[in-house]
Amino acid sequence: MAQLPVKPGEVATIVTHFEMTERPKPRPIQTCPLRLMRWQTPGTDKYRILFKRVGEHWLWFSRLAMADQELSVILHNPLVEVYAVVDPKGIEIGILELDFRMTGRCVISFLGLVPQLIGQGLGQWLMAQAIALGWRKSVSGLFVETSCIDDPRAMSLYLKTGFVAVNRSIDVFPDPRISGLLPVHVAPHVPLLK
């Protein structure tokens, strides 16, 4: 077994890539007090606030590191759909982002709820929404990925809903807590090595 060293100040994670190449049979979506609200052209600040609220615990940082112009190009592309998950009080507590920019493919770029809601079965509702919205006449496959520093239940959710694991890769990146993109106290399950 080979061990590859990771430099201080970096994080290494194993990323598992999933695909769903057959449209699932329609089934009822469970009732849920949450709803999806489509953001037609979200501002970068508003988007990043929700992105961070949902993902900082899992070290989501990619959209925080992008320049405003680069992020705007993605968010305002008509082939990218951004949805906020909203609770009954109107508070945005989750995110779903679908990317149709590659012909015939829907990539679930981001899917998640604030950490306080994890473990209540709401992720199943959100995944059902993603699948229903992702499959269109022109789509021949849905794609999603998760890493070993994400919620460990994500992988079983993807498999349970009909995705198949197709490959793995190793992602190494500078720890966003050191650069200040994320607070030092987040993601306690990922040791901070300076």
Side-chain angles (χ1 to χ4, degrees), residues 3 137 139 145 180 189 191:
Q3 289 189 355
K137 207 177 267 190
V139 170
E145 62 185 44
H189 62 290

Side-chain angles (χ1 to χ4, degrees), residues 88-143:
K89 295 179 183 176
I91 299 170
E92 295 157 347
I93 47 83
I95 193 166
L96 171 61
E97 185 175 325
L98 304 175
D99 188 337
F100 296 93
R101 291 179 291 173
M102 292 176 60
T103 304
R105 296 170 61 108
C106 173
V107 176
I108 302 172
S109 300
F110 295 100
L111 177 143
L113 298 164
V114 293
Q116 299 86 338
L117 296 179
I118 293 173
Q120 299 179 29
L122 299 171
Q124 293 175 28
W125 171 84
L126 183 54
M127 178 54 78
Q129 297 290 330
I131 291 169
L133 290 165
W135 277 107
R136 308 216 170 137
K137 207 177 267 190
S138 60
V139 170
S140 58
L142 298 184
F143 302 84

Side-chain angles (χ1 to χ4, degrees), residues 42-49 51 61-77 80 82 97 101 110:
T44 55
D45 289 343
K46 183 176 181 178
Y47 175 90
R48 283 188 180 115
I49 288 169
F51 181 88
F61 72 94
S62 60
R63 298 299 173 82
L64 304 175
M66 288 181 173
D68 285 348
Q69 178 61 30
E70 182 183 5
L71 181 55
S72 287
V73 166
I74 295 169
L75 298 180
H76 298 165
N77 187 311
V80 174
V82 178
E97 185 175 325
R101 291 179 291 173
F110 295 100

Side-chain angles (χ1 to χ4, degrees), residues 58 118-119 146-147 149-155 189:
W58 311 111
I118 293 173
T146 190
S147 81
I149 61 173
D150 281 336
D151 186 327
R153 292 169 286 204
M155 198 171 304
H189 62 290

